[in-house]
Amino acid sequence: MGNSKVLVVGGTGYIGKRIVKACLAQGHASYVLLRREIGLDIDKLQMLLSFKEQGARLIEASFSDHQSLVDAVKQVDVVICTISGVHFGSHNILVQLKLVDAIKEAGNIKRFLPSEFGMDPARMGHAIEPGNVTFEEKMTVRDAIEKAKIPFTYVSANCFAGYFVPNLSQLATLVPPKDKVGIYGDGNQKGMELAGQVAVGHFYHIFYEGCLSNFEIGEEGEEASELYPEVQYTRMDAYLKRYL
């Protein structure tokens, strides 16, 4: 991106706060959207203010105010959206359609990175319900981006190590199990809430179907380690030793 002006939308989230820090560390003019919907969330506000103290600029806007989004977008070259899609049923991902409309009207954005960062939804048309809604909504956003002819990059980071490696792929924990490991699919689970159903569906595609490893990247994209060979990547064995 060179020395770009970068706007991060969703800068207080798990991915967003790391992107803001990376943009600042790399010397980009870093802007973070301060959404009016933040309400009384003091932790998020204090995080945004800490970014400001580190050199980021806060831009106040709202997804319910189209012109405010257009005005925000006009101040930058690159927009990175990191809105969370884990709140199943809330349709957070589709909120990006308003951002797409603003970027289209502004007409100045050189690159847009929508909130992806998980499995590639283009490969998940066969996904089982109810987890398929995640992929369908991301494809709806992709369709809008491409129809608007906005320059884009889709980042499919698949399974972040922090969520899937140390817990040996066990649900509801982020640390390694000490006494036993559950094997999925024994038929004893009779029912669960929607979020649990979605999670189990995704686990089925990842660990049984192998959807993250049964294809070649080919001409459709680039592998991160080939794009950025200078990055010192952490090997799995080294990562797991942190939990010993």
Side-chain angles (χ1 to χ4, degrees), residues 6-202:
V6 182
L7 171 64
V8 180
V9 180
T12 59
Y14 174 72
I15 299 174
K17 62 188 176 185
R18 289 166 170 79
I19 294 225
V20 173
K21 292 176 181 178
C23 287
L24 288 168
Q26 293 182 19
H28 298 298
S30 303
Y31 298 73
V32 186
L33 199 71
L34 170 55
R35 296 171 60 185
R36 297 168 192 163
E37 295 87 348
I38 196 171
L40 299 177
D41 195 327
I42 189 66
D43 289 334
K44 287 186 177 181
L45 178 59
Q46 289 180 343
M47 186 184 302
L48 291 169
L49 292 175
S50 72
F51 291 149
K52 183 178 179 182
E53 292 171 354
Q54 297 171 54
R57 305 178 195 181
L58 304 184
I59 303 180
E60 186 174 342
S62 171
F63 278 101
S64 61
D65 182 347
H66 173 71
Q67 191 57 49
S68 72
L69 288 177
V70 174
D71 293 342
V73 167
K74 284 184 176 179
Q75 299 183 53
V76 299
D77 308 311
V78 176
V79 176
I80 302 176
C81 186
T82 61
I83 290 176
S84 174
V86 300
H87 305 295
F88 305 113
S90 63
H91 303 291
N92 278 16
I93 293 298
L94 293 183
V95 170
Q96 293 181 102
L97 295 175
K98 297 183 178 181
L99 187 56
V100 171
D101 289 340
I103 292 173
K104 180 180 179 180
E105 181 172 329
N108 63 296
I109 294 304
K110 298 177 181 177
R111 183 68 47 177
F112 176 41
L113 284 72
S115 186
E116 291 261 351
F117 309 109
M119 291 181 275
D120 184 353
R123 301 182 186 277
M124 301 303 299
H126 65 293
I128 57 178
E129 295 183 357
N132 60 332
V133 67
T134 305
F135 310 115
E136 291 173 355
E137 291 182 354
K138 287 183 178 181
M139 289 304 295
T140 297
V141 174
R142 284 190 179 191
D143 185 57
I145 292 169
E146 293 167 27
K147 284 184 177 178
K149 300 188 185 305
I150 296 171
F152 64 85
T153 295
Y154 301 140
V155 179
S156 297
N158 300 316
C159 293
F160 278 104
Y163 277 102
F164 291 94
V165 173
N167 60 2
L168 302 181
S169 301
Q170 301 296 288
L171 288 167
T173 180
L174 292 176
V175 295
K178 300 297 183 182
D179 53 353
K180 62 180 180 180
V181 175
I183 304 299
Y184 303 116
D186 63 3
N188 292 325
Q189 185 68 46
K190 302 304 180 183
M192 62 179 66
E193 61 178 5
L194 178 62
Q197 294 177 40
V198 171
V200 169
H202 288 179

